[in-house]
Amino acid sequence: MHERRETVLTAVFLTACLALVAVGLWPRLHARRTVPVPEVPELVVAVHGAVRSAGSYRLPWGARVADLVEAAGGLGPDAASELVDLAAPLTHGSTVHVPRATGPEGETRVSINAAPERELETLPGIGPALAGRIVDARPFSSVDDLERVRGIGPATLERLRSRVTP
């Protein structure tokens, strides 16, 4: 009888242990799987130049230059739209410049990537030798790339900036 009592107590003890383990594991075994929603930060970007409303804008992650231009009210009437890559992705803190088709005095800008040497020679401070070096250094992604041409320093670049486009 003593053995039987021991067997019953052992069975009760094991049942209690299994019940406690089951109660402890139940939430883990039957928890709803929730897919974590990734936190998507906003982009803060600036636009200036030939847009209707230049300034800084908050855009959703993954926005493109076209979204920024739309947020700024669209391109201005004097925008050189062919020089704006509307499909380019934006990065947080970046600035987009939309160039104007004409310079400050209304003159047509010269394309440093497409103009022949003769046309480049019409620019202030650009002679035949420097025009040849500009042609040899092509392509340029921005006007600032002109600094890599021997003979063009910061002063010359500032003189040319309003008269040329990439």
Side-chain angles (χ1 to χ4, degrees):
M1 201 150 115
H2 199 309
E3 279 181 33
R4 182 171 166 83
R5 189 177 204 205
E6 246 180 58
T7 306
V8 170
L9 284 175
T10 303
V12 169
F13 178 73
L14 286 175
T15 304
C17 287
L18 287 174
L20 288 175
V21 168
V23 168
L25 289 178
W26 185 264
R28 291 183 185 192
L29 295 174
H30 294 289
R32 277 196 246 168
R33 297 215 174 217
T34 57
V35 177
V37 177
E39 184 177 323
V40 181
E42 281 188 325
L43 297 173
V44 178
V45 291
V47 61
H48 58 84
V51 290
R52 298 197 186 277
S53 183
S56 293
Y57 294 91
R58 290 183 176 277
L59 296 173
W61 188 262
R64 306 245 170 207
V65 172
D67 302 319
L68 177 60
V69 168
E70 183 180 323
L75 294 172
D78 59 342
S81 59
E82 67 279 0
L83 299 176
V84 181
D85 184 3
L86 296 173
L90 295 170
T91 57
H92 182 70
S94 64
T95 299
V96 174
H97 175 73
V98 178
R100 299 184 190 289
T102 58
E105 282 88 46
E107 74 278 2
T108 303
R109 291 182 169 204
V110 174
S111 170
I112 55 178
N113 282 318
E117 286 185 39
R118 271 229 179 294
E119 191 175 350
L120 291 171
E121 291 174 26
T122 65
L123 296 169
I126 305 296
L130 197 48
R133 286 196 295 269
I134 290 172
V135 169
D136 292 341
R138 289 175 179 168
F140 301 101
S141 60
S142 75
V143 174
D144 293 327
D145 290 346
L146 278 174
E147 278 191 306
R148 72 174 192 241
V149 176
R150 188 174 44 85
I152 296 182
T156 304
L157 180 61
E158 285 310 309
R159 233 183 3 257
L160 295 174
R161 187 176 301 282
S162 65
R163 304 201 56 196
V164 297
T165 62

